[in-house]
Amino acid sequence: MRPNVARVALPVPLDKQFDYLVPAHLFPVVGGRVSVPFGRQTLVGIVTQFSHESDFPIDQLKPIKAALDTQPVWSTPLYELIAWCSQYYQHPLGDTLSNALPSALRKGKAAEFAATVEWHITEAGKNQLMAGFGRAVKQAKVMHMLESGPCNHQAFIDNEVSTSVLKTLTEKGWIDSQEKQAPRTSWPENMTNEPVDLRLNAEQAVAIASVNSQNEFGCYLLEGVTGSGKTEVYLQMIRPVLERGQQALVLVPEIGLTPQTINRFKKRFNVPIEVIHSGLNDTERLNAWLSARDKVAGIVIGTRSALLTPFADLGIIIVDEEHDTSYKQQDSLRYHARDVAVMRANKEQIPIILGSATPSIETLQNALSGKYHHLILSQRAGLAVPTTNKVIDVKGQYLEAGLSAPLIAEIRRHLELGNQVMLFLNRRGFSPALMCHECGWTAECRRCDAYYTYHQSSNEIRCHHCGSQRPTIHQCESCGSNQLVTVGVGTEQLEAQLESLFPDFNTIRIDRDSTRRKGSLESALDAIKKNEYQILIGTQMLAKGHHFPNVTLVALLDVDGSLYSSDFRASERLAQLFIQVAGRAGRASKPGEVLLQTHHPDHPLLQSLLHKDYRHFAETVIEERKMARLPPFSFLTLIRAEANNSHDVETFLRQVRHSLEAHPLFDHQSMVLGPTPAPIAKRAGKSRWQLMLQVPTRSLMQKIVTSAKPVISQLPLAKKVRWSMDIEPQDLS
Ligand code: ADP
Ligand code: ZN
Ligand code: ZN
């Protein structure tokens, strides 16, 4: 008899699965989706096994409502990889599986290509284009978009066109739409457009040859400064993979910032390329997913979430900018896409290439120790020349909105030569605090252990931790004085200061506030490229992936915070930012200059960065980490907890500590630090504490947390506090 009990993993925050009856007329499969009743809802889950028995009385089980797939959703290796993620990162299986699906499948849609709607202009519309649209600017915008070719829905969303405009224009008969089936093209004979006039240098040739001779698992670090030809190497590694009929997965930190790279892939290869990122709508995402699964696409380029895309026949994985922090997810399933990508390559027995100008300390150590192959590109392929790097000692100097006099002079010099300058300050808003000049009282968020940031443009004070905001205050809440002053400098103030210092030049600010609107980052970057702005101000956001050849001066305004941070990775991140911006400043005809403002010009890490190179810096850091037994020389798990009652949180974490230390393999080489208050001890009204487990090996960490987790979940206080486990945390706050 067919087993009539199905065990189903559901997208709920519980570490268990649920049994359902399989009605005689339904034929679900293991690894396929089913929809089932759950409380008053209907959920979509994945069948993990069939059985004849259940821990519950069989006659009380509810029946499956529908079987949604006739085939497993994933191949066995990919399913195992997702299950491994769930286990390794201590996140419930059902939720992990569900999150690996495109949302259309999560909602129970069929796993088939869905039609996308495409809009085009009609003959009547073309006539109208000549007549114009009078004051109907929104309509004119749509018509002009369509004038240059058909658009899909996403294009309208990106350009903030509302559906009502489309409706009006359709009713007028000026535009029309049709459903477009995703093309099922096969790959052409001629898959590659060979670059003309390009001779690989010796290091590139070696890198390509070592990977191309490999068709089993191997992990390669491709270390090379910006412009050393890494992308060219990726392209030439992918070519033989496609020719063998296999596919390629390329992970990048952020799609919006890498249009040039994507265009290079599209120019080089004539196979379909799918680009997967958070801006896709449900249909587009499903189509991209299916296109990879059914081998319509030859190449998938995507951000972190593209990692678990199914492929008919994956032949290579490339992780560009492998050190980038966006590869680590900071909530829910707290996975590191780079690390899981290495695991995937291992399971699928294919090569993986981790590329960076500034490899993470973890990856570099793996390469130096021989665990990974180390490929180095030491020469710049293009015409770029090294920058001049200097520190400006600001000890005792007067700073105008964070700018020292020597820096202002340099900015003036570069601007007068007709160049662009780029200034980094990792603090948005006008100033990070608002203080009473009479009594020292400082405006503090009522719900967080943090000061309000003053935002002049909106005349508000905002808490950057809980997002609360209110109109700015003009009176001290302690002594009643109206002598309120701003303390410290944010990007907004810097912008205002530069505008008044250099009224003849245009200033633009790139941070989370100025780029909130969709598409505004892209258009700002475009305007910078067209030289519409000469002074560029930004947070780290501005550093990622851009190439502005006309920028000849880059300044990091406040590096001291990173040199003396409580986060042991802060100096690594500073070095990565520095190399990244230095790698992009200037070119042969316009040499670049990088300036760092600091109170600690002699700091050894700064000195090694300025006068040696990233590798020298990184090797110093590796030695420090080894001495301090920090990652990669130990493995960390961060347990965070929060609740209204501080005492509950602390007590809970103390109990957690006991259950970790109770493990028989926990010995003198292992350590639990805490409970300690989190760096932001209170947020949105909740007290926050944390606990750090530090052990010598990854397998020991897994054993300890795996056996402690069910015990922790059963603690009575576990119901009163919100808690989470972050395996190999990247952000310690
Ligand atoms: P990266 O990805 O390391 O920044 P790219 O691959 O983008 O480097 O190379 C930088 C520039 O140099 C590109 O314009 C690329 O086409 C060019 N390039 C790469 N390799 C060579 C080569 N061997 N000879 C000449 N130009 C090259
Ligand atoms: Zn707050
Ligand atoms: Zn006061």
Short mmCIF file of all heavy atoms in Angstrom, two decimals, residues 413-442:
data_model
loop_
_atom_site.label_atom_id
_atom_site.label_comp_id
_atom_site.label_asym_id
_atom_site.label_seq_id
_atom_site.Cartn_x
_atom_site.Cartn_y
_atom_site.Cartn_z
N ARG A 413 42.71 72.95 -5.72
CA ARG A 413 43.69 72.73 -6.78
C ARG A 413 43.12 71.75 -7.84
O ARG A 413 43.16 72.03 -9.03
CB ARG A 413 44.97 72.15 -6.18
CG ARG A 413 46.17 72.19 -7.10
CD ARG A 413 47.45 71.82 -6.35
NE ARG A 413 47.49 70.43 -5.95
CZ ARG A 413 47.83 69.43 -6.77
NH1 ARG A 413 48.16 69.68 -8.01
NH2 ARG A 413 47.85 68.18 -6.33
N HIS A 414 42.55 70.64 -7.36
CA HIS A 414 42.04 69.64 -8.32
C HIS A 414 40.85 70.17 -9.11
O HIS A 414 40.72 69.90 -10.30
CB HIS A 414 41.67 68.35 -7.58
CG HIS A 414 42.86 67.52 -7.23
ND1 HIS A 414 43.27 66.44 -7.99
CD2 HIS A 414 43.76 67.63 -6.22
CE1 HIS A 414 44.36 65.92 -7.43
NE2 HIS A 414 44.68 66.60 -6.36
N LEU A 415 40.00 70.94 -8.43
CA LEU A 415 38.83 71.48 -9.13
C LEU A 415 39.26 72.46 -10.21
O LEU A 415 38.73 72.47 -11.31
CB LEU A 415 37.88 72.17 -8.14
CG LEU A 415 37.11 71.25 -7.19
CD1 LEU A 415 36.31 72.09 -6.19
CD2 LEU A 415 36.18 70.31 -7.95
N GLU A 416 40.26 73.27 -9.86
CA GLU A 416 40.68 74.30 -10.83
C GLU A 416 41.36 73.69 -12.05
O GLU A 416 41.43 74.32 -13.11
CB GLU A 416 41.55 75.35 -10.13
CG GLU A 416 40.65 76.29 -9.32
CD GLU A 416 41.38 77.27 -8.43
OE1 GLU A 416 42.62 77.17 -8.34
OE2 GLU A 416 40.70 78.12 -7.82
N LEU A 417 41.86 72.46 -11.89
CA LEU A 417 42.43 71.76 -13.05
C LEU A 417 41.34 71.11 -13.91
O LEU A 417 41.63 70.44 -14.89
CB LEU A 417 43.41 70.68 -12.58
CG LEU A 417 44.75 71.19 -12.02
CD1 LEU A 417 45.53 70.07 -11.37
CD2 LEU A 417 45.56 71.85 -13.13
N GLY A 418 40.08 71.29 -13.49
CA GLY A 418 38.98 70.74 -14.28
C GLY A 418 38.65 69.30 -13.94
O GLY A 418 37.97 68.60 -14.69
N ASN A 419 39.10 68.83 -12.76
CA ASN A 419 38.85 67.44 -12.38
C ASN A 419 37.73 67.33 -11.35
O ASN A 419 37.24 68.33 -10.85
CB ASN A 419 40.12 66.83 -11.80
CG ASN A 419 41.25 66.88 -12.82
OD1 ASN A 419 41.01 66.83 -14.03
ND2 ASN A 419 42.47 67.01 -12.33
N GLN A 420 37.37 66.08 -11.06
CA GLN A 420 36.35 65.85 -10.02
C GLN A 420 37.05 65.39 -8.73
O GLN A 420 38.11 64.76 -8.79
CB GLN A 420 35.38 64.75 -10.46
CG GLN A 420 34.45 65.18 -11.59
CD GLN A 420 33.67 64.00 -12.14
OE1 GLN A 420 34.25 63.00 -12.51
NE2 GLN A 420 32.36 64.13 -12.20
N VAL A 421 36.42 65.70 -7.60
CA VAL A 421 36.95 65.22 -6.32
C VAL A 421 35.85 64.41 -5.60
O VAL A 421 34.66 64.64 -5.80
CB VAL A 421 37.41 66.37 -5.39
CG1 VAL A 421 38.47 67.22 -6.09
CG2 VAL A 421 36.24 67.24 -4.97
N MET A 422 36.29 63.43 -4.80
CA MET A 422 35.34 62.53 -4.15
C MET A 422 35.69 62.47 -2.67
O MET A 422 36.84 62.19 -2.32
CB MET A 422 35.53 61.16 -4.81
CG MET A 422 34.50 60.16 -4.52
SD MET A 422 34.40 59.11 -6.01
CE MET A 422 34.95 57.61 -5.39
N LEU A 423 34.70 62.73 -1.81
CA LEU A 423 34.96 62.76 -0.37
C LEU A 423 34.09 61.74 0.33
O LEU A 423 32.89 61.67 0.11
CB LEU A 423 34.64 64.15 0.18
CG LEU A 423 35.34 65.32 -0.53
CD1 LEU A 423 34.74 66.65 -0.10
CD2 LEU A 423 36.83 65.29 -0.24
N PHE A 424 34.72 60.95 1.22
CA PHE A 424 33.98 59.92 1.94
C PHE A 424 33.81 60.27 3.40
O PHE A 424 34.76 60.63 4.09
CB PHE A 424 34.71 58.58 1.87
CG PHE A 424 34.57 57.95 0.54
CD1 PHE A 424 35.54 58.13 -0.42
CD2 PHE A 424 33.45 57.20 0.23
CE1 PHE A 424 35.40 57.58 -1.66
CE2 PHE A 424 33.30 56.64 -1.01
CZ PHE A 424 34.28 56.83 -1.96
N LEU A 425 32.59 60.11 3.85
CA LEU A 425 32.31 60.27 5.27
C LEU A 425 31.19 59.28 5.57
O LEU A 425 30.13 59.34 4.96
CB LEU A 425 31.85 61.71 5.54
CG LEU A 425 31.53 62.03 6.99
CD1 LEU A 425 32.78 61.90 7.86
CD2 LEU A 425 31.00 63.46 7.11
N ASN A 426 31.46 58.38 6.50
CA ASN A 426 30.46 57.34 6.71
C ASN A 426 29.40 57.71 7.75
O ASN A 426 29.11 56.93 8.65
CB ASN A 426 31.13 56.02 7.07
CG ASN A 426 30.67 54.94 6.12
OD1 ASN A 426 29.77 55.16 5.30
ND2 ASN A 426 31.25 53.77 6.23
N ARG A 427 28.86 58.91 7.62
CA ARG A 427 27.84 59.32 8.57
C ARG A 427 26.87 60.22 7.84
O ARG A 427 27.24 61.30 7.38
CB ARG A 427 28.51 60.10 9.70
CG ARG A 427 27.85 59.94 11.02
CD ARG A 427 28.58 60.70 12.11
NE ARG A 427 29.94 60.29 12.38
CZ ARG A 427 31.01 61.08 12.26
NH1 ARG A 427 30.88 62.33 11.87
NH2 ARG A 427 32.22 60.64 12.54
N ARG A 428 25.62 59.75 7.69
CA ARG A 428 24.69 60.60 6.95
C ARG A 428 23.98 61.56 7.90
O ARG A 428 24.13 61.46 9.12
CB ARG A 428 23.72 59.76 6.14
CG ARG A 428 22.90 58.82 6.92
CD ARG A 428 22.35 57.69 6.07
NE ARG A 428 21.73 56.72 6.95
CZ ARG A 428 20.49 56.83 7.40
NH1 ARG A 428 19.73 57.82 7.00
NH2 ARG A 428 20.01 55.94 8.24
N GLY A 429 23.21 62.48 7.31
CA GLY A 429 22.55 63.50 8.12
C GLY A 429 23.42 64.74 8.22
O GLY A 429 24.50 64.82 7.63
N PHE A 430 22.92 65.75 8.97
CA PHE A 430 23.67 67.00 9.09
C PHE A 430 24.70 66.88 10.21
O PHE A 430 25.87 67.17 10.03
CB PHE A 430 22.70 68.15 9.38
CG PHE A 430 23.37 69.50 9.34
CD1 PHE A 430 23.55 70.17 8.13
CD2 PHE A 430 23.81 70.10 10.51
CE1 PHE A 430 24.17 71.42 8.10
CE2 PHE A 430 24.43 71.35 10.48
CZ PHE A 430 24.61 72.00 9.27
N SER A 431 24.24 66.42 11.36
CA SER A 431 25.20 66.17 12.43
C SER A 431 24.65 65.07 13.33
O SER A 431 23.45 64.93 13.50
CB SER A 431 25.46 67.45 13.22
OG SER A 431 24.41 67.64 14.13
N PRO A 432 25.56 64.27 13.88
CA PRO A 432 25.13 63.09 14.64
C PRO A 432 24.58 63.41 16.02
O PRO A 432 24.14 62.50 16.71
CB PRO A 432 26.40 62.25 14.73
CG PRO A 432 27.52 63.20 14.53
CD PRO A 432 27.01 64.31 13.67
N ALA A 433 24.56 64.66 16.43
CA ALA A 433 23.94 64.98 17.72
C ALA A 433 23.55 66.45 17.79
O ALA A 433 24.09 67.29 17.09
CB ALA A 433 24.89 64.63 18.86
N LEU A 434 22.58 66.71 18.65
CA LEU A 434 22.09 68.06 18.88
C LEU A 434 22.19 68.29 20.39
O LEU A 434 21.60 67.54 21.16
CB LEU A 434 20.63 68.12 18.42
CG LEU A 434 19.97 69.48 18.25
CD1 LEU A 434 20.72 70.33 17.24
CD2 LEU A 434 18.53 69.29 17.77
N MET A 435 22.99 69.31 20.79
CA MET A 435 23.32 69.45 22.20
C MET A 435 22.98 70.84 22.72
O MET A 435 23.03 71.81 21.97
CB MET A 435 24.81 69.18 22.39
CG MET A 435 25.27 69.05 23.82
SD MET A 435 27.00 68.51 23.91
CE MET A 435 27.80 70.05 23.55
N CYS A 436 22.65 70.91 24.02
CA CYS A 436 22.40 72.21 24.65
C CYS A 436 23.73 72.86 25.03
O CYS A 436 24.55 72.26 25.71
CB CYS A 436 21.52 72.03 25.90
SG CYS A 436 21.36 73.56 26.84
N HIS A 437 23.93 74.09 24.57
CA HIS A 437 25.18 74.79 24.81
C HIS A 437 25.30 75.22 26.27
O HIS A 437 26.39 75.45 26.78
CB HIS A 437 25.24 76.02 23.88
CG HIS A 437 26.59 76.65 23.81
ND1 HIS A 437 27.73 75.92 23.52
CD2 HIS A 437 27.00 77.92 24.00
CE1 HIS A 437 28.78 76.72 23.54
NE2 HIS A 437 28.36 77.95 23.82
N GLU A 438 24.17 75.34 26.95
CA GLU A 438 24.17 75.80 28.34
C GLU A 438 24.48 74.67 29.31
O GLU A 438 25.27 74.82 30.22
CB GLU A 438 22.79 76.38 28.71
CG GLU A 438 22.35 77.55 27.85
CD GLU A 438 23.04 78.85 28.24
OE1 GLU A 438 23.33 79.03 29.44
OE2 GLU A 438 23.29 79.66 27.33
N CYS A 439 23.80 73.53 29.13
CA CYS A 439 23.91 72.48 30.15
C CYS A 439 24.44 71.15 29.63
O CYS A 439 24.68 70.23 30.40
CB CYS A 439 22.56 72.27 30.84
SG CYS A 439 21.39 71.32 29.85
N GLY A 440 24.64 71.02 28.31
CA GLY A 440 25.23 69.78 27.80
C GLY A 440 24.22 68.67 27.54
O GLY A 440 24.59 67.58 27.08
N TRP A 441 22.95 68.93 27.80
CA TRP A 441 21.93 67.92 27.52
C TRP A 441 21.94 67.60 26.01
O TRP A 441 22.16 68.49 25.18
CB TRP A 441 20.55 68.47 27.92
CG TRP A 441 19.40 67.61 27.49
CD1 TRP A 441 18.87 66.55 28.15
CD2 TRP A 441 18.65 67.75 26.28
NE1 TRP A 441 17.85 66.02 27.45
CE2 TRP A 441 17.68 66.72 26.28
CE3 TRP A 441 18.69 68.63 25.19
CZ2 TRP A 441 16.76 66.56 25.25
CZ3 TRP A 441 17.80 68.47 24.15
CH2 TRP A 441 16.84 67.43 24.19
N THR A 442 21.77 66.34 25.64
CA THR A 442 21.80 65.96 24.23
C THR A 442 20.52 65.23 23.87
O THR A 442 20.07 64.37 24.63
CB THR A 442 23.02 65.05 23.95
OG1 THR A 442 24.18 65.69 24.46
CG2 THR A 442 23.20 64.82 22.47
#
